[in-house]
Amino acid sequence: MAEVNALELDSREKILDAAEKLFARRGFSGVGLRELAEAAGISKSGLLHHFRGKTELYAAVAGRILHEFEKRTLQAISAGGDAFERFDRWLDAMIDTLAEQPTRARLLLRSLFEDDDLAGESEEEKAVDQTIERLFSHVARLLREGMEQGVFRLASIPHTLQSLVGLLVYHFASGEFGETLLRQSLFAPAAVRKRREAVKALLYGGILVRPQVAAVQAT
Amino acid sequence: MAEVNALELDSREKILDAAEKLFARRGFSGVGLRELAEAAGISKSGLLHHFRGKTELYAAVAGRILHEFEKRTLQAISAGGDAFERFDRWLDAMIDTLAEQPTRARLLLRSLFEDDDLAGESEEEKAVDQTIERLFSHVARLLREGMEQGVFRLASIPHTLQSLVGLLVYHFASGEFGETLLRQSLFAPAAVRKRREAVKALLYGGILVRPQVAAVQAT
DNA sequence: TAGACAACCGACCGGTCGGTCGGAAGGTTG
DNA sequence: CAACCTTCCGACCGACCGGTCGGTTGTCTA
């Protein structure tokens, strides 16, 4: 029946969009199904027709975001170039992906560190965990190649991955606090550009004027 | 009345300890007062005798942790030495503080990025925000001094602060995911030592074998 | 001894939680 | 036409939510 809005997306998509926004802002237990349904312009029972339950909906939201990150990671990494070029392109891709949708960083961060929250056994949640694992293994492989080729200093790969998450994801997830610190929106084009520069300067040169050639050898 | 346990701490402390553990694990809205009270070995009404409400309890927990970080920051920073020495000592202090109590990183991270969750107007919550602000201003001052003295490369101070939080706090807050990545507890002495090395290697030398003297000049 | 007070409790409040159920409406297929 | 399917809804469920209230107990002070 002709709705006012001709573009009328799928209910499923509308629900996912609304849920992404709310879950990102307040977390899994901070949002109720009623509020979720209302934000999606549907009744609670209508919502539950599309998703078996709240945890499945959350997993679907997380999965959608994680697949986007994996897609962009593969694009960036599999294009040509040496390890440094590919890594640099990957950094750009991650910053783009995080910056173009303010909800993504928060939801990604939550998926990582709230994992143990009701660590579910459902199929959907296992799929989310597997996507995370795959995503990180792509980057781990790139780091390993770079180290073997003598482009990157030898370092613990898991720790480097953790550092990258910290530098990239946390920043864009830091919300009000980050905006107070920067005195502007985290997502304004200028702020994103500056973050890109800051991260690359740190990763590629450290913070010191006279870099120490790391007394600490890799282990 | 002679309890079995002679050390019997204050109820208030017991509540704070239990709340710290639970809030860190599942967040503000993921824990109920009943569960909180039971974990502290007291009734819900008993708990509410000590704290006016759930948000005040949360603020008290966050405040206690933030004060610990501020104390250790001031200790590390105000002892002698040039900017590099003081910064290096501060890094050690932060890693020690994060590592010696697994709940701290998670709660600190939540205090930062869940700030907007019911951004309360109560006195206690304002005090928490002020402590965070003070804490970061101490470090900002140190960075500024280091840059003026030519020890640190010129860089955006807010972005450097964000990077430090990302490198330090996120790692220790990453829970199950981090442990899967490292294949060991995040808090085992060896893992903590390794994190310290990884962070310092990154900060002091970057990730490249042939560091680029940052094409990107500071802004 | 009386009074005040802090610490604590069980019972209870209105409201919300995630989830179920029995349909209603509309489209498609035979 | 009937049979079926998808989409969506309101009414309802038991459990739990944060918070209040009246009362008991024990300790400390006047």
Side-chain angles (χ1 to χ4, degrees), chain A residues 25-26 29-30 84 87 106 109-110 112-117 132 136 150-153 156 158-159 161-163 165-167 170-171 173-174 176-178 181-182 191 194-195 197-198 201-209 211-212 214 216 219, chain B residues 25-26 29-30 84 87 106 109-110 112-117 132 136 150-153 156 158-159 161-163 165-167 170-171 173-174 176-178 181-182 191 194-195 197-198 201-209 211-212 214 216 219:
Chain A
R25 202 173 312 159
R26 299 212 299 277
S29 25
F84 175 75
F87 179 79
R106 280 176 164 255
L109 191 59
R110 286 191 195 275
L112 294 178
F113 100 113
E114 280 176 351
D115 218 13
D116 7 1
D117 268 32
I132 293 182
F136 279 83
V151 178
F152 299 142
R153 267 194 304 97
S156 154
H159 276 285
L161 290 174
Q162 287 277 76
S163 298
V165 174
L167 289 174
Y170 161 72
H171 171 78
S174 64
E176 275 192 15
F177 170 73
L181 214 51
L182 298 208
K194 208 160 158 186
R195 183 66 194 164
E197 291 171 5
L202 179 56
L203 287 174
Y204 299 159
I207 60 170
L208 301 181
V209 168
Q212 306 203 333
V216 187
T219 40
Chain B
R25 202 174 312 161
R26 298 212 299 276
S29 26
F84 176 76
F87 179 80
R106 281 176 164 256
L109 192 59
R110 286 192 195 275
L112 294 180
F113 99 113
E114 280 176 352
D115 217 13
D116 8 3
D117 269 30
I132 293 182
F136 279 83
V151 178
F152 299 142
R153 265 193 308 96
S156 154
H159 276 286
L161 291 173
Q162 287 277 75
S163 298
V165 173
L167 289 173
Y170 161 72
H171 171 78
S174 64
E176 276 191 15
F177 170 74
L181 214 52
L182 298 208
K194 209 161 158 185
R195 183 66 196 164
E197 291 170 6
L202 179 56
L203 287 174
Y204 299 159
I207 61 169
L208 301 180
V209 167
Q212 307 202 331
V216 189
T219 43

Side-chain angles (χ1 to χ4, degrees), chain B residues 95-170:
Chain B
I95 289 172
D96 290 343
T97 312
L98 290 163
E100 74 196 24
Q101 240 290 13
T103 57
R104 284 179 182 162
R106 281 176 164 256
L107 228 127
L108 180 55
L109 192 59
R110 286 192 195 275
S111 300
L112 294 180
F113 99 113
E114 280 176 352
D115 217 13
D116 8 3
D117 269 30
L118 261 183
E121 312 299 338
S122 83
E123 283 313 309
E124 298 85 3
E125 294 172 65
K126 268 185 228 162
V128 165
D129 283 355
Q130 279 170 20
T131 308
I132 293 182
E133 211 171 309
R134 247 184 296 122
L135 175 54
F136 279 83
S137 77
H138 301 317
V139 187
R141 197 176 322 118
L142 173 57
L143 289 174
R144 205 173 308 117
E145 284 177 28
M147 291 184 198
E148 282 164 8
Q149 293 168 12
V151 178
F152 299 142
R153 265 193 308 96
L154 290 181
S156 154
I157 286 173
H159 276 286
T160 307
L161 291 173
Q162 287 277 75
S163 298
L164 289 169
V165 173
L167 289 173
L168 298 170
V169 183
Y170 161 72

